[in-house]
Amino acid sequence: MKSSIRRSRRAALAVALGSVLALTATACGDDGSGSAGDKGGEGSGKGTITFWDNNGGVRTDVWKQIIADFEKQNPDIKVTYVGVPAASVQSKYDTAIQGGGLPDVGGVGTAMLAEVAAQGALEPLDSRLAKSPLKSKLNEKFLESVTAAGGDGKTYSVPTSANNGTLWYRTDLFAAAELDAPTTWTKFYAAADKLTDKAKNKFGYTIRGGEGSIAQALDATYGQSGITSFWNGDTTTVNDPKNVAALEKYVALYKKDTPSADVNNDFTKMVAQWDSGTIGMLSHNLGSYADHEKALSGKFKGIPNPTLDDGTRVQVSNPVDGLGLFKSSKNKAAAWKFIEFAASHEANSKWNESAGQVPANNEAAQDAWVQSSEPTKLAAEALNGATTKIVQLPYYLPDWNTISKADNEPNFQKVLLGKMTAKEFLDTLASQLNKAQADWKAHH
């Protein structure tokens, strides 16, 4: 069934890529219930709009605060909040694009932006941004990432935040073992080994083997190999021999220095396990800071992913989250007001402080909480640092999410279980990526 869904999605994308202009010239939307081809309208700037949160549940409370603040400032506009779990938001957008029911505004991160934009569902925002007070207040690197992810040089989302790979480590366990902070990959592997005592159910590391495993594995792979580009021409570097060797070393941690249950870890299981147990290190991102603080206050730190021994940091790009305006909205004026408000200094700061992420609003990024939150501050410095080399993942490929999730997460579990080699895994991934790149180039 999954394969048929993917085939249907890819077929829809192929049609969309070849006929976006035709789609956008068809029937008008009907107040949030339209599909991708609906043009919608500006509307009166008053009334009710619908907002889909792309991480419903996790961020529901802070979004409801921001909506209340917005409605107080804009009493003629009401925002209907719909929280969509992150794991199902892409399929929900795909279903609504084909059958109707799109929101006015929705959270659209760069990892899924190309697929949604390719189907003609999003309004280009360049002209609105050019006339907006936000124009000079958004992080240029975040804007560049969003524009690149759209695939056609247009800006389809207003960036709100960026995440960063973070290595969380237990300072109490490191001190007891007389270990240095795991700032380099050499120190990371040494600590993973020294902190492991299987007889006492103690492990140096917890690895992500379930949902969301691919990006984390690629981060560790490129971080160790030192390769700084995802492409060599139109051929991916993902299966370069240096990357194969790096991934082999990383997956060798499984069951040696990690719990065997890690093969099924998604982020919630992984975070809960680290917070409640005696595991030394966890690779996740800034989003789990609040959970760690609640469980392990004073006993942990978060640093950017390890560097090579010479101090060079190579990391893969993390998705930039943002807000998209859907073409089918019949009240784009009100929807745009909400987007502007959500990306403004106060609201953007409030959201990112709650999430522990790096604000896209430059004024919000200077707020006191960012400077006092060491993991967020270090992440911001790493993202903008001169010695950091960021490998840009190909979010612009409409098939990127499918390839990096449904197609290959089961294969990564096979690698952990010894049923597939690291080389076989990376060769399979490379073949799919090279094909997707060729398909994309053929339409651009």
Side-chain angles (χ1 to χ4, degrees), residues 276-362:
S276 63
T278 54
I279 298 173
M281 295 177 289
L282 160 75
S283 294
H284 188 228
N285 57 44
L286 295 168
S288 54
Y289 174 77
D291 292 325
H292 306 328
E293 182 63 29
K294 184 177 180 181
L296 302 167
S297 181
K299 298 180 181 179
F300 75 98
K301 281 190 175 182
I303 58 176
N305 283 342
T307 69
L308 298 171
D309 287 343
D310 66 3
T312 302
R313 175 175 285 112
V314 179
Q315 62 183 61
V316 300
S317 56
N318 274 260
V320 174
D321 209 0
L323 298 173
L325 173 60
F326 284 84
K327 276 185 181 175
S328 59
S329 171
K330 288 187 68 176
N331 204 348
K332 293 176 185 174
W336 178 247
K337 285 181 184 178
F338 177 65
I339 290 174
E340 283 189 311
F341 182 87
S344 67
H345 178 182
E346 183 177 348
N348 191 241
S349 184
K350 180 179 288 188
W351 191 94
N352 280 283
E353 183 174 12
S354 173
Q357 296 184 18
V358 181
N361 186 292
N362 291 324

Side-chain angles (χ1 to χ4, degrees), residues 27-46 48-51 101-106 120-123 128 324-337 339:
C28 292
D30 51 357
D31 200 16
S33 64
S35 57
D38 296 336
K39 291 190 298 184
E42 283 299 302
S44 65
K46 301 177 181 179
T48 300
I49 59 171
T50 299
F51 164 59
L102 286 166
D104 299 277
V105 178
L122 293 169
E123 181 94 351
R128 294 178 192 269
L325 173 60
F326 284 84
K327 276 185 181 175
S328 59
S329 171
K330 288 187 68 176
N331 204 348
K332 293 176 185 174
W336 178 247
K337 285 181 184 178
I339 290 174

